[in-house]
């Protein structure tokens, strides 16, 4: 769905002498310099701007304060002899899979015998499962490594400790106090702001880097795993995450993992690999296993083993099934958003729990508003919340937290569960709160855009401008503005609301704008973003309209 932008609330930036001077100082393209000024102001610090453009991963890691907790973790791992039995417990999304894989490969490198367990979304639920803990302890494991969950599982951790298991946790979910801080590495327990923006996989990777337990060359090779988690969990792209993603994308292009190479081929992922291809193609496929089947299929597809190609084939089949189910859920939710009394919170007994978060993310992006999708599981209602830039999912759920059975998440996304008999009240409270928040925080937002004709883009300019990349959460690609003039042709394409805009100054594509006839005479221009288009195997730069300016 294409949103509207009032011209009166649009600030258009143009290239000037300041930007050419800044570009010389930074040794970058003038368009990059303009974008930096638009983001940070005209009086930005040159050294900080240079560090932002070309982050030094080693320097950032040496300055990183990861957390103040976990003081027992290093001794637990250092004292564990070769041949020890290690159980790994992850989660069912990309970050949970990637962190469990990184922990598994680390354990093997240390000479431990490792077995992983990824919980079933419906049968086991989120976080440590008490029954699984009992099984792990009875099987004689020496150590339990938990990734991407566990911070709030005080009872389950105590259960494991009481049964003779040593436990270490690498997590990134919000927490203000915990009962077993000595075994938990979580940046929300005393870490700095860069640390708090890390995925669970990146938390484990950065801790290993700082601990010195394994070589930095070994860790550098596994940045291809880390990048999947950062993009998959939509983590804020501050300077440290940007450095991790930049280096990780390079490693992905050279990856020799058979399952990954197979997925690249089947999903039409082409070099140069960018964050958009991960977000739109690879990560949804990896997530499909945990959403509608077993997450371990995704982990097996990512392993550097002979079986990984077989697992990747299974994953592609699951991804096809996920797309069909997601399309049905999306259509139902969209219809209800257009015609129902609720603008933010939707539920249905027919919706698959495993697909709520991905469809909520899509609707949040398309409607530029918070979206909650919910469905029943037994005597509970489970729900997924996604919010656009400028809002905080954790802060929103804090409003209703006294009524929730469990909840957790981070700035852009959160999940929660509530007793069925409390759901109606929670739903109404969320709808009321989100209405107030959006009325206050999102009304008549001023938007910034760079004046640049769409025909200006080519591969060289794209490569120069991507020095600002990776783009994503907290580092959005800026909008570019192209005016709409007499003589420009708006040509319908196949599919409702799809058009090609033909102008002497370049061509634009617009998808899902169903109100063209209503606003055609009021259009003053287009806010667009360029993208690498590999249609028919040929690389070119196309531009896609994101907002219609009236």
């Amino acid at each position: 769905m294409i949103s509207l932008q009032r011209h009166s609330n649009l600030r258009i930036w143009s290239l000037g002498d300041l930007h050419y001077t800044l570009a010389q100082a930074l040794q970058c393209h003038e368009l990059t310099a303009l974008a930096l000024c638009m983001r940070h102001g005209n009086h930005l610090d040159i050294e900080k701007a240079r560090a932002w453009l070309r982050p030094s991963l080693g320097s950032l890691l040496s300055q990183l304060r990861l957390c103040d907790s976990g003081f027992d973790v290093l001794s637990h791992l250092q004292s564990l002899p070769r041949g020890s039995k290690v159980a790994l417990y992850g989660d069912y999304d990309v970050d949970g899979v990637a962190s469990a894989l990184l922990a598994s490969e680390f354990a093997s490198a240390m000479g431990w015998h490792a077995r992983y367990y990824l919980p079933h979304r419906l049968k086991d639920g989120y976080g440590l499962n008490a029954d699984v803990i009992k099984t792990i302890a009875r099987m004689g494991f020496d150590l339990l490594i938990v990734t991407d969950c566990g911070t709030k599982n005080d009872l389950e951790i105590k259960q494991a400790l009481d049964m003779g298991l040593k436990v270490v946790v690498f997590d990134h979910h919000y927490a203000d106090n915990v009962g077993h801080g000595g075994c938990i590495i979580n940046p929300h327990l005393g870490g700095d702001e860069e640390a708090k923006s890390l995925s669970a996989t990146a938390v484990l990777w950065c801790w290993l880097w700082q601990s010195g337990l394994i070589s930095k060359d070994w860790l550098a090779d596994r940045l291809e795993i880390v990048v999947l988690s950062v993009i998959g969990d939509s983590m804020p792209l501050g300077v440290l995450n940007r450095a991790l993603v930049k280096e990780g994308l390079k490693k992905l292009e050279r990856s020799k993992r058979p399952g990954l190479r197979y997925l690249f081929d089947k999903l039409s992922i082409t070099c140069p690999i960018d964050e958009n291809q991960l977000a739109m193609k690879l990560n949804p496929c990896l997530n499909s296993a945990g959403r509608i089947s077993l997450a371990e299929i995704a982990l097996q597809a990512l392993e550097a083993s002979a079986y990984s190609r077989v697992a990747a084939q299974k994953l592609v089949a699951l991804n096809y099934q996920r797309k069909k189910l997601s399309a049905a859920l999306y259509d139902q939710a969209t219809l209800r958003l257009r015609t129902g009394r609720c603008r933010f919170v939707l539920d249905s007994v027919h919706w698959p729990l495993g697909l709520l978060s991905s469809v909520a993310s899509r609707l949040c992006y398309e409607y530029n508003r918070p979206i909650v999708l919910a469905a029943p599981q037994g005597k509970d209602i489970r729900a997924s919340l996604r919010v656009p830039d400028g809002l905080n999912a954790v802060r929103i759920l804090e409003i209703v937290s006294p009524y929730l059975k469990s909840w957790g998440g981070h700035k852009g996304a959160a999940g929660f569960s509530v007793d069925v008999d409390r759901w109606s009240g929670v739903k109404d409270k969320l709808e009321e709160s989100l209405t107030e928040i959006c009325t206050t925080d999102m009304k008549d937002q001023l938007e910034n855009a760079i004046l640049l004709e769409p025909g200006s883009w080519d591969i060289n300019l794209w490569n120069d401008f991507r020095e600002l990349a990776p783009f994503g959460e907290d580092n959005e690609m800026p909008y570019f503005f192209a005016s709409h003039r007499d003589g420009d042709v708006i040509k319908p394409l196949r599919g409702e609301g799809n058009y090609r805009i033909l102008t002497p100054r370049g061509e634009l594509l617009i998808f899902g704008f169903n109100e063209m006839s209503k606003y055609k005479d009021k259009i003053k221009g287009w806010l667009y973003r360029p993208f690498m288009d590999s249609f028919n195997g040929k690389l070119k730069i196309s531009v896609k309209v994101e907002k219609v300016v009236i």
Side-chain angles (χ1 to χ4, degrees):
M1 180 178 177
I2 299 294
S3 58
L4 301 173
Q5 174 69 42
R6 294 193 178 279
H7 193 270
S8 58
N9 289 327
L10 180 64
R11 181 183 179 185
I12 300 174
W13 295 65
S14 301
L15 281 169
D17 292 342
L18 169 66
H19 309 118
Y20 288 97
T21 302
L22 180 61
Q24 287 184 330
L26 293 175
Q27 295 183 310
C28 67
H29 195 277
E30 55 269 19
L31 194 63
T32 302
L34 170 54
L36 284 171
C37 288
M38 193 169 76
R39 177 184 173 94
H40 300 287
N42 286 331
H43 302 291
L44 77 168
D45 183 283
I46 295 293
E47 290 306 315
K48 288 184 178 179
R50 187 175 286 118
W52 173 263
L53 281 177
R54 305 172 190 104
S56 167
L57 185 55
S59 175
L60 291 167
L61 290 168
S62 67
Q63 301 169 27
L64 180 69
R65 188 177 76 252
L66 192 56
C67 65
D68 289 337
S69 60
F71 39 83
D72 293 330
V73 173
L74 182 59
S75 61
H76 282 342
L77 299 183
Q78 282 180 326
S79 63
L80 200 65
R82 296 179 66 87
S84 298
K85 293 176 64 177
V86 176
L88 311 168
Y89 192 106
D91 192 25
Y92 35 69
D93 65 1
V94 170
D95 191 19
V97 168
S99 56
L101 175 61
L102 179 60
S104 174
E105 295 188 354
F106 164 67
S108 296
M110 297 294 286
W112 305 328
H113 299 302
R115 290 184 63 181
Y116 53 77
Y117 182 86
L118 301 182
H120 189 280
R121 185 181 290 266
L122 303 184
K123 296 176 182 178
D124 299 322
Y126 172 75
L128 284 171
N129 182 282
D131 291 335
V132 176
I133 296 298
K134 290 179 184 177
T135 301
I136 290 173
R138 288 168 180 166
M139 291 176 68
F141 283 92
D142 303 297
L143 173 71
L144 172 62
I145 299 178
V146 183
T147 62
D148 199 27
C149 62
T151 297
K152 293 186 175 182
N153 289 113
D154 288 341
L155 292 177
E156 290 79 8
I157 291 176
K158 183 178 185 304
Q159 173 191 5
L161 295 173
D162 289 345
M163 296 184 75
L165 266 175
K166 291 182 179 179
V167 180
V168 297
V169 176
F170 296 91
D171 195 10
H172 72 135
H173 291 94
Y174 176 77
D176 48 9
N177 58 76
V178 296
H180 300 279
C183 68
I184 297 174
I185 301 295
N186 186 326
H188 289 282
L189 303 174
D192 61 29
E193 289 306 308
E194 287 296 329
K196 290 176 182 176
S197 73
L198 295 171
S199 66
T201 312
V203 169
L204 171 57
W205 190 93
C206 291
W207 185 88
L208 289 173
W209 180 283
Q210 292 184 337
S211 74
L213 282 176
I214 199 160
S215 78
K216 290 180 171 52
D217 287 341
W218 186 94
L219 285 166
D221 286 341
R222 280 149 185 86
L223 282 169
E224 63 183 359
I225 301 172
V226 177
V227 65
L228 299 178
S229 71
V230 177
I231 301 302
D233 245 19
S234 300
M235 302 311 300
L237 292 174
V239 64
L240 177 54
N241 273 334
R242 289 183 67 250
L244 291 169
V245 172
K246 277 176 175 283
E247 295 303 317
L249 289 172
K250 296 175 186 175
K251 296 292 183 181
L252 267 184
E253 290 185 359
R254 301 191 295 270
S255 178
K256 296 180 180 179
R257 295 174 185 261
L260 262 180
R261 302 309 309 179
Y262 179 85
L263 291 175
F264 290 167
D265 178 56
K266 293 300 178 181
L267 300 175
S268 299
I269 294 174
T270 57
C271 291
I273 297 176
D274 62 23
E275 65 280 3
N276 190 55
Q277 293 188 80
L278 299 190
M280 302 304 292
K281 295 180 178 181
L282 182 58
N283 281 340
C285 183
L286 293 171
N287 265 328
S288 64
R291 296 191 188 284
I292 61 177
S293 184
L294 299 174
E296 66 181 43
I297 297 172
L299 193 154
Q300 291 164 352
L302 293 175
E303 287 180 316
S305 70
Y307 178 74
S308 65
R309 183 180 174 90
V310 175
Q313 292 171 343
K314 293 181 180 179
L315 200 55
V316 170
L318 287 171
N319 191 44
Y320 176 75
Q321 185 180 353
R322 174 198 62 83
K323 286 181 178 180
K324 290 178 63 177
L325 294 171
S326 295
L329 195 163
Y330 170 83
D331 290 342
Q332 294 169 27
T334 301
L335 180 63
R336 291 172 60 182
L337 283 173
R338 291 175 178 171
T339 61
R341 70 177 182 86
C342 295
R343 296 185 63 237
F344 306 101
V345 187
L346 304 172
D347 58 353
S348 172
V349 297
H350 303 295
W351 289 346
L353 283 171
L355 301 177
L356 296 181
S357 59
S358 60
V359 176
S361 294
R362 179 179 175 186
L363 292 170
C364 173
Y365 171 76
E366 293 183 354
Y367 283 83
N368 193 34
R369 71 173 76 151
I371 294 291
V372 177
L373 297 184
Q377 182 189 21
K379 297 181 179 181
D380 296 336
I381 295 291
R382 292 181 59 187
S384 180
L385 166 65
R386 295 295 184 271
V387 299
D389 283 346
L391 300 183
N392 188 311
V394 172
R395 298 289 176 255
I396 290 170
L397 285 191
E398 285 178 341
I399 298 171
V400 295
S401 61
Y403 312 103
L404 303 182
K405 191 171 183 179
S406 64
W407 67 282
H410 44 79
K411 182 180 178 182
F416 62 94
S417 65
V418 59
D419 290 332
V420 169
D421 57 2
R422 283 189 158 190
W423 171 238
S424 179
V426 170
K427 180 179 179 180
D428 290 342
K429 180 67 174 175
L430 277 172
E431 191 73 31
E432 176 186 332
S433 300
L434 291 172
T435 299
E436 181 180 349
I437 289 169
C438 290
T439 301
T440 303
D441 294 351
M442 302 183 69
K443 185 177 179 181
D444 295 330
Q445 284 187 333
L446 177 68
E447 196 65 80
N448 291 284
I450 298 172
L451 180 64
L452 189 70
E453 300 296 356
S456 303
W457 289 96
D458 58 21
I459 295 291
N460 291 330
L461 178 57
W462 171 258
N463 289 335
D464 287 337
F465 190 71
R466 275 196 60 80
E467 195 163 17
L468 292 166
F471 297 112
E473 185 77 19
D474 280 3
N475 187 40
E476 295 287 333
M477 180 186 289
Y479 289 120
F480 296 88
F481 176 74
S483 60
H484 182 57
R485 305 178 190 174
D486 292 339
D488 293 351
V489 177
I490 301 176
K491 183 179 179 181
L493 295 175
R494 181 183 301 175
E496 184 181 0
N498 300 336
Y499 301 90
R500 174 181 286 120
I501 303 161
L502 304 173
T503 83
R505 306 167 307 283
E507 179 181 308
L508 303 98
L509 300 172
I510 182 168
F511 302 105
F513 186 51
N514 299 317
E515 299 179 299
M516 182 66 80
S517 59
K518 179 179 178 180
Y519 290 102
K520 188 172 183 180
D521 296 332
K522 299 179 181 180
I523 296 173
K524 291 183 175 292
W526 321 94
L527 294 185
Y528 74 85
R529 286 176 172 141
F531 66 96
M532 180 72 79
D533 190 346
S534 59
F535 185 68
N536 288 333
K538 296 181 179 179
L539 293 179
K540 68 172 184 176
I541 306 302
S542 297
V543 304
K544 182 166 71 78
V545 172
E546 302 280 352
K547 294 186 178 184
V548 175
V549 180
I550 58 173

